[in-house]
Structure formats: C-alpha cells, structure tokens
Amino acid sequence: MRLFSFYSMRKPRQFEHKPIYWNPRKEALEDRIRKVKREMGVLDERPEDYKPSIKGSFIEGTTHLKKSRMKGDDIRNRVYKNMRLILVLTILAIVFWFLFIKQ
C-alpha cells in the first residue's frame, strides 16, 4: 500500500477512445480534400473553426490553467511551491511552540 506523497505525483488517466468502425485512409482523404478546398478558396471555413485534434483544448477553456501555462509553470514549479509552503508552515509552528507553549 502506498501512502500519499508530495514527491511523486501520479499522472491522470488519459481518455482513449478506440472507434469500432474507422477507416484511416478515408479520414486522410477527407482531410486532404478539405485542405485543398481551403487553399483554393472554395471552402468557406476558417482555420480556427476546424480542430482535427482536441489535445490542449481543455487548458485553453479554463482561465487558471491558461494563466499558469502563460507564466511557464509546470509540475516542478508547483511541487517547489508546495514544499516551500510546507517549510514555512513548519517554521511557523516551531516558532509558535517556542513562544507560547514552552514557557
């Protein structure tokens, strides 16, 4: 049994959808036709509207995750901030103990 740890954060499970009926050649052909129509100007679709992949779209939909990505925060920075907070709280608890309880 593994106890809760601040040092090794487990990655969240990824969503994996495996379609039952999927033809990769047909999908590649449709993507190619769409790109050619867009280049020719026949298709009236803006590039912002078309998203072939949804990777990263959750982060763009939330404000706090978007801000942390813009700052350049990653998992190491968050762990460092948590450890610094624990250290400060420990020091404050020791000072409190020396000043008020040990008298």
Side-chain angles (χ1 to χ4, degrees):
M1 182 186 257
R2 195 170 149 187
L3 297 176
F4 182 76
S5 174
F6 286 106
Y7 301 110
S8 60
M9 303 279 292
R10 199 180 85 179
K11 286 187 176 182
R13 285 186 273 167
Q14 297 292 322
F15 176 75
E16 291 184 33
H17 173 69
K18 295 179 178 144
I20 298 171
Y21 304 108
W22 178 55
N23 188 353
R25 291 187 300 172
K26 181 180 177 185
E27 187 174 315
L29 179 65
E30 288 173 356
D31 288 341
R32 189 170 176 194
I33 290 172
R34 188 180 297 118
K35 287 178 185 177
V36 168
K37 284 184 179 181
R38 195 177 313 128
E39 288 174 2
M40 291 176 54
V42 176
L43 191 61
D44 220 12
E45 183 179 319
R46 287 178 267 150
E48 306 87 50
D49 295 340
Y50 175 71
K51 288 188 178 182
S53 175
I54 61 169
K55 185 175 183 178
S57 62
F58 179 75
I59 291 176
E60 295 300 320
T62 57
T63 56
H64 66 283
L65 292 175
K66 193 186 301 184
K67 285 179 186 177
S68 67
R69 179 178 270 187
M70 294 296 282
K71 288 181 188 176
D73 286 348
D74 59 350
I75 188 72
R76 290 185 190 134
N77 289 342
R78 281 183 259 146
V79 169
Y80 175 72
K81 288 177 183 177
N82 287 339
M83 293 304 296
R84 188 172 58 186
L85 177 66
I86 291 170
L87 180 67
V88 167
L89 290 176
T90 305
I91 290 172
L92 286 175
I94 292 170
V95 168
F96 178 77
W97 184 73
F98 271 116
L99 293 177
F100 296 108
I101 297 177
K102 193 175 177 185
Q103 292 181 5

